[in-house]
Amino acid sequence: MQQTKAASLSVNMKEQCLGNRIGRLHRVVARQFDQAMRPLGLSLPQLEVLAVLMMGTVVAPSTIAEALAIERSTISRNIAIMERNGWIKTDSSPSGRTTGVSITSRGVDMLASADAAWANAQQQVMKLLGPDAVGTLDTWLENLAAQGE
């Protein structure tokens, strides 16, 4: 009985699982952007953090994590690397906890230098996914976010 259930689930996941497909889509698309950013010494998550910081002044790490829908631990790792590279500055509480993050002039320069690589990767992915890709993904994200509220 368990063998049959497990085999059935395995087939259903292979043929229909949205979580699997969206996860694969994320990894394949992220790989395209990461490859484009690699010559700059930048990763896609780091680029995303710089872009979020460029829109604000001082931002709490939890706000960045929420804006990008990624784990706080992932943000913390990237913040440490980005601070060592001089792209961001952090403010800490007396206990040592990071309370705010802001972009530095080096971070602004890095973000600006990523423009052509990002645009090239974006164009390549859009060509493969089609002109409606952004709108479709935005609709899906809005629908899922609304259900979660």
Side-chain angles (χ1 to χ4, degrees):
M1 178 72 159
Q2 293 296 85
Q3 183 76 20
T4 304
K5 278 177 132 177
S8 176
L9 176 58
S10 178
V11 169
N12 284 339
M13 286 183 68
K14 181 179 185 236
E15 293 176 355
Q16 301 175 23
C17 182
L18 292 173
N20 178 285
R21 282 169 171 68
I22 291 170
R24 285 176 48 210
L25 176 66
H26 170 262
R27 289 185 294 276
V28 170
V29 170
R31 196 174 302 130
Q32 294 285 323
F33 283 92
D34 277 333
Q35 287 173 352
M37 297 301 128
R38 190 169 293 126
L40 301 171
L42 190 63
S43 69
L44 178 59
Q46 293 165 352
L47 178 68
E48 292 172 331
V49 170
L50 289 174
V52 167
L53 293 176
M54 193 66 200
M55 291 185 232
T57 50
V58 177
V59 180
S62 57
T63 303
I64 299 168
E66 186 177 311
L68 299 176
I70 56 180
E71 297 296 321
R72 170 102 162 119
S73 60
T74 302
I75 288 296
S76 295
R77 280 191 304 276
N78 278 303
I79 284 173
I81 293 167
M82 295 170 74
E83 187 169 33
R84 277 195 308 271
N85 289 336
W87 302 336
I88 62 170
K89 177 186 172 297
T90 60
D91 299 321
S92 299
S93 68
S95 66
R97 190 171 146 254
T98 301
T99 57
V101 182
S102 57
I103 193 167
T104 64
S105 60
R106 284 185 70 187
V108 172
D109 292 346
M110 176 54 77
L111 185 58
S113 72
D115 182 55
W118 176 87
N120 185 44
Q122 178 77 2
Q123 183 180 21
Q124 288 176 353
V125 171
M126 289 295 293
K127 189 186 316 180
L128 295 171
L129 297 180
D132 298 331
V134 172
T136 298
L137 290 171
D138 284 346
T139 299
W140 293 352
L141 289 167
E142 289 169 14
N143 290 346
L144 290 168
Q147 183 198 15
E149 293 176 351

